[in-house]
Amino acid sequence: MAKAKTDLVIVESPAKARTIEKYLGNHYQVVASMGHLRDLPKSTMGVDIDGDFTPQYLPVKDRADVIADLKKRAKSAGTVYLATDPDREGEAISWHLMQALKEDPKKMHRITFNEITKTAVKSSIKQARDLDMDLVDAQQARRMLDRMVGYTISPLLWVKVKRGLS
């Protein structure tokens, strides 16, 4: 008889991972993404302002090992639950996880909970859903605006007001 695949739950922090794994039991493996795995490049705008405003996301340099580990775990998992924070930033981190892991989207589900209790965590798995792309788009718009304003206004502030302002 074949062994059932373990489901994977990805949270943002190791402390949450340890607690949640205790609540879910042996059929679940809970690991931390350590926050964002992809971001706009640090050295350039990273947003196509002359075209269609497409962001250019790159893997975060010190997260290569985390990405490789998560990919390996996701590949062998039955279901992947993205349990990042329940806000637009968390929704975007889940979207970036989906992009980085390159797994079948049907295998990946979004779960959220506002408290880390056994009841809340188990209930969230029963209410798994798709990503809320409106929240993802809102976070991306905010990130790109921050970048565009920062890269165009900051140099002006340095000249007119004081060096180092952002």
Side-chain angles (χ1 to χ4, degrees), residues 36 88-89 92 96 135-144:
H36 284 278
R88 73 176 177 214
E89 199 72 27
H96 283 288
L135 284 176
V136 173
D137 291 343
Q139 189 278 341
Q140 286 190 91
R142 172 66 193 265
R143 181 74 179 103
M144 291 187 314

Side-chain angles (χ1 to χ4, degrees), residues 102-137:
K102 297 181 174 124
E103 279 295 319
D104 181 354
K106 294 178 196 135
K107 178 180 176 174
M108 303 180 85
H109 304 281
R110 177 76 166 111
I111 61 172
T112 59
F113 37 86
N114 292 310
E115 58 185 16
I116 302 176
T117 64
K118 189 173 190 175
T119 303
V121 171
K122 287 190 169 228
S123 175
S124 71
I125 288 181
K126 292 177 187 167
Q127 298 171 19
R129 61 172 173 80
D130 292 333
L131 282 177
D132 182 339
M133 287 308 296
D134 289 341
L135 284 176
V136 173
D137 291 343

Side-chain angles (χ1 to χ4, degrees), residues 10-113:
I10 303 173
V11 298
E12 290 182 52
S13 79
K16 283 183 188 175
R18 287 187 294 275
T19 302
I20 292 168
E21 194 163 52
K22 289 177 194 171
Y23 294 156
L24 292 176
N26 294 337
H27 184 70
Y28 295 89
Q29 185 177 61
V30 185
V31 294
S33 72
M34 310 300 284
H36 284 278
L37 297 178
R38 300 184 336 151
D39 197 7
L40 299 172
K42 291 190 183 301
S43 59
T44 63
M45 176 82 67
V47 178
D48 181 8
I49 57 175
D50 295 324
D52 60 0
F53 291 91
T54 301
Q56 176 198 1
Y57 292 113
L58 300 173
V60 174
K61 283 184 184 174
D62 63 346
R63 298 284 198 283
D65 290 346
V66 174
I67 294 169
D69 181 57
L70 291 173
K71 277 184 176 182
K72 181 180 166 189
R73 292 173 190 260
K75 188 169 203 59
S76 65
T79 301
V80 177
Y81 294 101
L82 305 170
T84 53
D85 292 350
D87 55 17
R88 73 176 177 214
E89 199 72 27
E91 204 75 19
I93 291 171
S94 284
W95 178 77
H96 283 288
L97 278 164
M98 285 185 83
Q99 302 303 307
L101 297 178
K102 297 181 174 124
E103 279 295 319
D104 181 354
K106 294 178 196 135
K107 178 180 176 174
M108 303 180 85
H109 304 281
R110 177 76 166 111
I111 61 172
T112 59
F113 37 86

Side-chain angles (χ1 to χ4, degrees), residues 156-163 165:
L156 181 63
L157 284 172
W158 298 345
V159 170
K160 300 290 184 185
V161 182
K162 182 181 177 189
R163 183 107 185 113
L165 294 176

